[in-house]
Amino acid sequence: VKSPAPTAPTASRSLAERMYRALLLAYPSEFRHRYGFEAAGDFGQLHARTLQHRGITAVARLWRRSVLQVIGYGLRERWESRRMLQPHGPWKDVREKKQGAIERVILDVRYAFRSLAKTPGFTLTALVIVALGVGATTTIFSAVDNVLLRPLPYEDPNRLVTFSKQQGSVPAPDFVDVRDRTESFETMAGVWDIDVDLTNDGTPERLDAGQITERFFSILGGMPAAGRLFTPDDFSTGAEKVAVLSYSIWQTRWGKDLGIVGRTITLNGEPTTVVGVLSPVFTSPEALINEEMDLWIPFDLTDSRYQNRRIFILSPVARLKPGVTLAAAQQEMDALAEALAEEYPVGNRDHNDGSILYFPLEALQEATVGDIAHTLYVLLGAVGLMLLIACANVANLFLARGTDREREMAMRSALGASRGRIVGHLLTESVVLAVIGGGLGVALALAGVKAFDLYNPGGIPRVSEVSVDWRVLTFAVVLATLTGVLFGILPALQSAKTDVTHALKEGAHSTTTGRRRLALRNGLVVAEIGLALVLLVGAGLLFNSFLKLRGVDPGFDSDDLVVFNLRLGATLSPEGDPYSHEGVRLQFTKNLLDGLRAIPGVEQASAAAVMPFRGGRCCWRSRVIEPATNDSIITWFHPVTGNYFETLGARLLVGRSITAADNSMDLALDPDPEDRTVPAVLSASLAQRYWPDQQAVGRTLDSQSEELASLLVVGVVDNIRHFRLRDPAQYDVYLPYAVATPWLSLMSIAVRSTGDRVALEEALRQTVWRLDPDLPVDPSTTMNERLANSIAAPRFYSMLLAAFAAVAFLLAAAGIYGTMLYSVGQRHRELGIRLALGAKTRDLVGMVVGKVLVLTTIGIALGVGGALGLSRLLESLVFGITTTDPSTIATVAMLLGVVAVAASYLPARKAARADPLEALRSE
């Protein structure tokens, strides 16, 4: 039968369906075969209805929307089907592995928190141990990071260098020669640290001033906060006196008054114009170690007063040219030193052997850090040992805890958990605990950093800048994580080896896994003992050294001795007769001492150029010659007033001391000092050096000092230490103070008094100001305080290392106790059987203690070997003993042995006294 011809709508619908079927090619073939005909039919009907009822415009919108949807959804379905057809493809594996790993970590972390919460005693103990280890290590690292690892706060600091010839400084002529006759440096400047007196502007005050050469601020990046800095004209001869204030003194003395710029102040009796204030971010090299200068004044390199090549005053800083190495610059400096030694032998050759005095070149970073780098690395190593002991202790705790969790781990294995999965779970638990403990350790480090600054012994560069910043926090996080892995890996591996069949048996007692775990615990105890011995030996050496240092006789009685300093400035140097100011100064000194002796409670008062232990400063050095033998040596000259030795309580061995009669006005006003013979008191070391078996009094010595020609020995005094207690006795010559009054402005006053300190302080100031109201008076200190400050560094480091050693000692004792407690607990049934069979209590105790003694002996032997190897690092820190001091090592070993026996005796005694029937019944 012939079909009727299709109507127009039917033909249209058929065309729409065919076109829609073509669009469906964007979908996968499986989708087209399953849904294609039905979808095309539905679209055809929709197309027909739209054409019939809404017109051709609506049909166009239908096609536009359908094309976008079909192609978009089709391509997406095709991509999804390809993923389904490739279940082992790389993208699917990566995503599934990543999601699976994250999910496992999240689950392990959650379970770790729940597991740790179930054992609060264990968790709290482990947290305290980890916090102590991480906190102490982070504290020391913060100091190491700030002092040693961070660059100096200057632009391109790696090219900044310094050089010296003696005591960190060079003469002004040498500085000029290096600046003008070398090609290695881009620019160069120098600074001289001096004291200046601020007068006629409120209370007289002594300020620290930096007398600088041109370009000093430009090298170090100095910028003005107000006003301007120095210009080249300020450094020329005869220029107006100008000064630049530090931001700190501007803030404290003048309250940030901008009106100070352009104002005239009086420094050392001379009017000086303040031209600017330095930016607060500026830091001079001196301030990196000590305190910042109060103000800055220009230094005229052409000043005739500073052309002597034996006057070492300038501390230089220079910037190397790009591409110039330190070695190349040093080679050029050596060649210049050899040339200067030929041109100017005096000052450029050694006094004793005539050898050339070179200019050692050093990076500014290394010069700033100095010997403190070695000390800080020793402390970091010590705290690292303490952290290892802490890790061993926590590992022991985890091993003990692992015994109680054997059935849990066995159940996990029985349910299909792999060994790697169990290890990962246990490691996550230990890392979580370590990270929490590390957080507590960071809190301890914050307090430790503040304590480090508060109890700073001095000499640590930038110690006030030490802080716990992001670098230190990163170190703490990494350290805590590594710590968790370190103390968790061995217990985790041991727990993963649990014998599933045996562990799940009811009443299982011991397994080979338990024996392995016990052997591992014993090994950790041995390690703890060895590491603790190394730390204890180091702490013992430093502490023993400190005690010996503290016991050194300074050569005088420091009790009830108060000291303060003056600087006899321009107010005591009037114009007129060129010798009149010497008389004024000497008269001022006599009047001052008379006034001080009149203060109630003052027993003695005396003056010197510098009293002992004034921060390494002292008098001047010169060579003396014994005429009979022509033997010459370098000595220290000390100008002193009468009763100096009586005031200090020094022991006069023979002859007499310097008296008031020796400090005569005639001696001070002698117009020809080089031809005079002055009385002198020698130190015992100097007298012994020249006349070991003969009388020194009445002998004479020739002097090469410009201030005097010969010395008549009138007495010998016991050796007085002026700088450090650890230094050997030096050669000292004590002269009448009147000898130095023509040129010496330094004066240090010692007062022996038993009165009230506060009242004495005020009386001292008023006595000075009655004679000269414009003379600044430094705050007084006691000689005991000076002595304490001189040994502050060894005391600080010995106490710090002793604290680390004490913590390590306690951890080692706790580790022994815990191991023995666990061991006898595991052997509870065995010990019960032994008791039931007639074993004596003392035999069981001896058996347990004997095992501990074996472990202790092994640990001590290993520790002694480590201590002998590492104690060499302490050679520069000890005094009066060797780093292999047998008494210290023997004492520490004996102490550890006693503590080990005590820590093992208590668990052994408790187990040996148990009832055998109870022990057997519990099984």
Side-chain angles (χ1 to χ4, degrees), residues 517-746:
R517 183 177 285 111
L518 185 58
L520 181 57
R521 293 189 58 139
N522 291 338
L524 289 174
V525 168
V526 169
E528 285 187 69
I529 293 173
L531 293 173
L533 186 136
V534 173
L535 258 183
L536 285 169
V537 167
L541 289 172
L542 288 186
F543 188 71
N544 194 7
S545 171
F546 169 70
L547 292 180
K548 289 185 177 295
L549 188 61
R550 190 177 181 183
V552 173
D553 182 9
F556 56 88
D557 181 10
S558 61
D559 294 334
D560 302 324
L561 202 58
V562 178
V563 182
F564 66 98
N565 302 315
L566 298 175
R567 183 178 182 275
L568 307 183
T571 56
L572 294 176
S573 300
E575 297 292 336
D577 186 349
Y579 293 101
S580 64
H581 63 285
E582 286 88 343
V584 171
R585 289 183 177 181
L586 186 58
Q587 190 61 49
F588 170 85
T589 304
K590 291 182 178 181
N591 294 340
L592 175 60
L593 294 178
D594 290 341
L596 294 176
R597 296 187 186 107
I599 297 175
V602 173
E603 299 174 356
Q604 291 281 355
S606 185
V610 178
M611 289 292 172
F613 297 97
R614 193 198 171 193
R617 297 184 179 182
C618 189
C619 332
W620 80 95
R621 300 180 72 185
S622 183
R623 183 179 297 277
V624 295
I625 305 172
E626 207 283 317
T629 61
N630 203 32
D631 185 11
S632 66
I633 53 174
I634 299 293
T635 62
W636 286 97
F637 281 13
H638 305 266
V640 299
T641 63
N643 299 320
Y644 173 78
F645 302 117
E646 290 78 5
T647 303
L648 258 63
R651 294 172 293 276
L652 195 66
L653 302 180
V654 65
R656 65 173 179 86
S657 63
I658 301 297
T659 65
D662 294 324
N663 283 284
S664 65
M665 193 68 70
D666 292 338
L667 187 60
L669 301 180
D670 187 353
D672 194 10
E674 296 184 4
D675 293 334
R676 65 190 175 192
T677 299
V678 298
V681 175
L682 307 186
S683 64
S685 58
L686 181 56
Q688 182 70 18
R689 168 70 169 77
Y690 277 133
W691 308 286
D693 300 317
Q694 303 177 40
Q695 178 64 259
V697 175
R699 304 269 186 169
T700 60
L701 291 174
D702 293 334
S703 170
Q704 290 188 350
S705 174
E706 296 179 356
E707 288 74 29
L708 60 154
S710 61
L711 309 171
L712 174 63
V713 180
V714 297
V716 176
V717 69
D718 200 2
N719 293 318
I720 298 176
R721 283 174 166 79
H722 290 267
F723 301 105
R724 298 188 306 173
L725 290 175
R726 67 181 302 156
D727 293 337
Q730 61 191 27
Y731 300 140
D732 296 309
V733 177
Y734 300 91
L735 307 167
Y737 188 81
V739 171
T741 51
W743 54 272
L744 185 65
S745 61
L746 297 176

Side-chain angles (χ1 to χ4, degrees), residues 184-203:
S184 298
F185 306 106
E186 185 176 270
T187 185
M188 183 182 301
V191 58
W192 182 18
D193 180 9
I194 63 173
D195 296 331
V196 295
D197 292 343
L198 174 65
T199 56
N200 299 328
D201 191 63
T203 303

Side-chain angles (χ1 to χ4, degrees), residues 820 844-857 901 904:
M820 289 302 101
L844 296 182
V845 172
M847 179 180 64
V848 175
V849 173
K851 181 178 180 180
V852 172
L853 284 178
V854 172
L855 297 178
T856 304
T857 302
V901 171
S904 62

Side-chain angles (χ1 to χ4, degrees), residues 325-386:
T325 65
L326 192 67
Q330 182 66 73
Q331 187 175 3
E332 186 181 25
M333 294 283 282
D334 291 346
L336 176 61
E338 293 170 0
L340 292 177
E342 294 296 327
E343 298 172 20
Y344 311 102
V346 177
N348 288 289
R349 290 187 179 274
D350 186 82
H351 286 291
N352 296 317
D353 56 14
S355 59
I356 299 174
L357 296 178
Y358 288 96
F359 299 96
L361 200 61
E362 191 175 14
L364 187 61
Q365 173 96 25
E366 297 177 2
T368 302
V369 171
D371 296 335
I372 201 65
H374 175 75
T375 304
L376 288 179
Y377 281 131
V378 168
L379 290 179
L380 189 61
V383 80
L385 290 179
M386 191 190 79

Side-chain angles (χ1 to χ4, degrees), residues 68 105 214 282 336 407 414 440 522 544 586 602 612 641 666 676 748 774 822 865 871 891 908:
L68 294 176
V105 170
E214 198 174 348
F282 175 78
L336 176 61
R407 292 179 63 83
L440 298 175
N522 291 338
N544 194 7
L586 186 58
V602 173
T641 63
D666 292 338
R676 65 190 175 192
S748 189
D774 289 332
Y822 167 79
S871 60
T891 301

Side-chain angles (χ1 to χ4, degrees), residues 138-139 142 442 445-446 449 465-473:
T138 303
T139 299
S142 63
V442 170
L446 291 172
V449 164
E465 301 175 14
V466 176
S467 61
V468 180
D469 58 5
W470 69 268
R471 292 159 56 100
V472 179
L473 286 176

